[in-house]
Amino acid sequence: MSSTTERPDELKRVLGPKLLLLFIVGDILGTGVYALTGQVAAEVGGAAWLPFLVAFVVALLTALSYLELVTKYPQAAGAALYVHKAFGVHFLTFMVAFTVMCSGITSASTASRAFASNLAVGIDWEASNVEIMLIALGFMLLIAGINLRGVSEGVKTNVVLTLIELSGLLLVIMVGFWAIVGGNADWGAVVAFETPDDKNVFLAVTTATSLAFFAMVGFEDAVNMAEECHEPNRIFPKIMLTGLGVTGLIYILVSICAVAIVPVGELAGNDTPLVTVVEQGAPDIPIDQILPFISMFAVANSALINMLMASRLLYGMAKQGVIPTSLAKISGRQTPSVAIGFTTALALGLIVYVSNASDDAVAVLGGTTSLLLLAVFAIVNLAVLVLRKDTVDHSHFRTAAPIALLGVVTCVYLVTPLSGRPSSQYEVAGILLVIGLVLSVPMYLLSRRRGEPLEVKDPDDLPPHGIP
C-alpha cells in the first residue's frame, strides 16, 4: 500500500517538514529550560552550559537510533513498537509502552498545573489551590478537545505556542548579548567550576547532566506521529537532527548568558532564573509582567504535545495487538478517540494528585520522567542492533553500531545512582513500574484467553477500527 493512500481507519497525514520541525522544537524546548538553569548552575557553577552540551550529545546518540527505527518502521507507537519487534516479549513491550505513556501524561499533567499557576500570576490573582486545580482540569479538557478535533488543529496550535515560547528564550539571549557588548558580563564565570563539597567535578557534571537531560527529551515523541507525516522515511532524519541542533544551541546560549550576567549564587535555587537574568541585564524591560504569560504558553505547548504523543502511542500499540484493540478505534475525524479519552482520564487524575503534592514532589516527578525515559532509551539503542537482521523493502536511515552501543552505555550510566541521582526518583519510578506490572497481568491473560498472537502484526492485515 502506498504511504500516501489513506483509509478511513487510518490516521490523517498532515505533517510536512516545517510542521514536523516546529513540533520537535516545541516539544524539546517545553518548560524545562525556564526553571532548570539555576539547578544546573548549583551543581557545576558557571560552567552550566557543559551539562546541557553533554545532555545534547547523549540525546543525539539516541536520536540516531530512533531515526533508523522510525524510517525502517514508519508506524505509530515508537519505542514500544521497536522493542516488540526486537525482543517479541509481550511483558517487556507493555512495560515500555506504559513507561513512555506515564512520562508523557505526567509531564502534561504537571504542565497543566503550571499553566494555571502562571495564569494566576499573570493576572495578579491570588487563587487558592482548589481554584488552580480546577483551572488545570479545565485546561486539560481543552487539550483533549483540540486533540479530538484533529492532529492538524493540534499541530497548528503547537506552531503558535512554539513561536511564543521561542520568543522568551530569544529575549534572554538578546539581553545576554546586549550585556556582553556593553561590558556588563563576567566571562570568567562561564568557565569556573564550583561543585558541591561532597562531589568531584565528574560526578557534579553527571548529576547536572541528569537534570539538564530533562530539558532535552521530547524528540522521541515525534516518532509516534510517523503515521501522520508525509513521506516519513525521507523527512525524519534531516528534520529531527535540525530540531535537536536548534534546541541544543538555544540551551547552551541561554546558560552562557545566564551565568555571565547573574552570579551563580543568585541562580542556584532560583525558581525563575531567566527572569533574574533579564532583570539584571535589561532592568527597563517589565519582564515580571511578560514572562508569566510566555511561560504559560510554553507549558501549554508541553501539555498539548505530550497528550498527542500519549494517545498515538496507545493507538499504535492497540493496532499492533499488544493492548486491547478497542483503543485503536478511529473517530470520524480520523483521530484515535478512545485512546484520547483514556489518556485524558489518567491525566485528570494525575492533576488532582499533583495539585496536592509539594513543590519538591513535582520536581522529583520531573526527574523521574527523565529517569524512566533514559531507561527506555537504553533499550531502544539495544533494539536497533538486534533489528539489524530484519530487512525491509524500502531504503532507510542507518546509524553506526558503535554509536548505538555508546548510547546504551551513556543512558544506562545516567539511570544508575552512580550519576548522582537522588533516591526519591527511584522510589517514584518503582511505584509507577509496580502499577504497570499489576496492569500487565490481566492484559496478558486476556490476550491468552482470546488466543491473540503476541507477535507484531502487519498493519495491512489488521481489521479496520473506524466508526461504521
Side-chain angles (χ1 to χ4, degrees):
M1 177 176 294
S2 171
S3 62
T4 59
T5 303
E6 293 178 5
R7 303 185 313 202
D9 60 302
E10 289 182 334
L11 300 179
K12 189 175 182 180
R13 296 187 183 273
V14 299
L15 294 179
K18 294 179 181 178
L19 287 179
L20 182 61
L21 177 61
L22 285 169
F23 182 96
I24 293 172
V25 170
D27 198 3
I28 296 175
L29 289 181
T31 59
V33 70
Y34 283 93
L36 282 176
T37 307
Q39 298 178 39
V40 171
E43 291 290 340
V44 296
W49 54 271
L50 181 58
F52 283 106
L53 177 60
V54 176
F56 166 74
V57 172
V58 174
L60 180 61
L61 295 174
T62 301
L64 293 173
S65 291
Y66 267 99
L67 284 177
E68 175 166 338
L69 294 169
V70 73
T71 55
K72 194 173 184 179
Y73 313 107
Q75 303 165 28
L81 171 64
Y82 311 145
V83 170
H84 201 58
K85 283 183 174 292
F87 305 106
V89 179
H90 190 279
F91 170 73
L92 179 61
T93 302
F94 177 86
M95 291 303 294
V96 168
F98 182 83
T99 299
V100 176
M101 185 191 71
C102 279
S103 70
I105 294 176
T106 302
S107 177
S109 302
T110 307
S112 297
R113 167 77 186 192
F115 174 90
S117 298
N118 278 285
L119 176 62
V121 171
I123 63 176
D124 196 24
W125 172 37
E126 294 184 6
S128 66
N129 186 55
V130 173
E131 290 170 329
I132 292 293
M133 182 185 71
L134 291 176
I135 294 173
L137 292 172
F139 173 72
M140 182 53 67
L141 291 175
L142 176 62
I143 291 294
I146 295 173
N147 205 348
L148 283 168
R149 180 78 179 166
V151 71
S152 178
E153 286 75 9
V155 173
K156 288 175 183 176
T157 305
N158 166 63
V159 169
V160 176
L161 297 178
T162 297
L163 294 176
I164 293 173
E165 67 180 324
L166 265 175
S167 69
L169 297 176
L170 293 177
L171 172 64
V172 174
I173 294 172
M174 287 189 293
V175 167
F177 285 169
W178 178 264
I180 291 169
V181 171
N184 298 318
D186 181 7
W187 278 109
V190 176
V191 293
F193 279 95
E194 297 176 33
T195 61
D197 295 336
D198 60 338
K199 295 178 181 178
N200 57 35
V201 172
F202 179 78
L203 183 58
V205 170
T206 57
T207 301
T209 299
S210 297
L211 291 171
F213 194 82
F214 181 70
M216 287 303 307
V217 299
F219 65 89
E220 77 286 350
D221 289 347
V223 301
N224 292 291
M225 310 299 290
E227 290 188 35
E228 288 156 293
C229 288
H230 296 295
E231 301 181 277
N233 295 348
R234 182 180 64 84
I235 70 174
F236 252 97
K238 180 180 179 180
I239 298 305
M240 184 180 285
L241 294 178
T242 300
L244 269 174
V246 168
T247 53
L249 178 61
I250 289 174
Y251 283 165
I252 292 171
L253 290 176
V254 166
S255 57
I256 288 175
C257 291
V259 297
I261 296 174
V262 181
V264 172
E266 294 183 38
L267 284 175
N270 191 329
D271 292 334
T272 56
L274 301 189
V275 174
T276 304
V277 172
V278 178
E279 284 177 342
Q280 295 195 17
D284 294 332
I285 297 179
I287 190 65
D288 57 327
Q289 300 175 29
I290 299 173
L291 202 61
F293 291 101
I294 293 178
S295 299
M296 186 175 72
F297 286 115
V299 297
N301 204 27
S302 294
L304 173 63
I305 293 177
N306 277 284
M307 292 308 291
L308 281 169
M309 176 276 295
S311 59
R312 270 59 180 183
L313 187 151
L314 280 187
Y315 161 82
M317 293 317 299
K319 196 174 180 182
Q320 293 292 328
V322 177
I323 58 178
T325 54
S326 60
L327 287 166
K329 190 173 183 179
I330 297 295
S331 72
R333 296 190 62 86
Q334 291 181 270
T335 57
S337 54
V338 177
I340 291 171
F342 184 79
T343 52
T344 300
L346 287 179
L348 294 175
L350 278 171
I351 288 171
V352 175
Y353 168 77
V354 172
S355 297
N356 291 282
S358 65
D359 291 338
D360 288 341
V362 173
V364 169
L365 206 55
T368 304
T369 302
S370 173
L371 169 66
L372 293 173
L373 284 177
L374 280 165
V376 171
F377 291 169
I379 299 174
V380 169
N381 280 307
L382 185 60
V384 77
L385 298 174
V386 174
L387 287 170
R388 283 286 165 84
K389 63 180 183 294
D390 185 26
T391 59
V392 293
D393 59 0
H394 61 266
S395 60
H396 59 84
F397 183 88
R398 186 180 177 92
T399 187
I403 291 178
L405 286 172
L406 186 58
V408 174
V409 173
T410 54
C411 289
V412 168
Y413 176 78
L414 290 174
V415 164
T416 67
L418 295 175
S419 65
R421 284 186 179 275
S423 60
S424 54
Q425 294 182 12
Y426 296 101
E427 293 171 6
V428 176
I431 292 172
L432 290 173
L433 292 177
V434 167
I435 294 174
L437 177 63
V438 172
L439 291 176
S440 71
V441 174
M443 288 193 174
Y444 174 76
L445 294 177
L446 180 63
S447 296
R448 289 292 299 271
R449 187 176 67 182
R450 290 178 174 176
E452 294 177 354
L454 300 183
E455 69 274 6
V456 174
K457 300 175 182 178
D458 186 325
D460 290 333
D461 294 337
L462 293 169
H465 299 290
I467 297 176

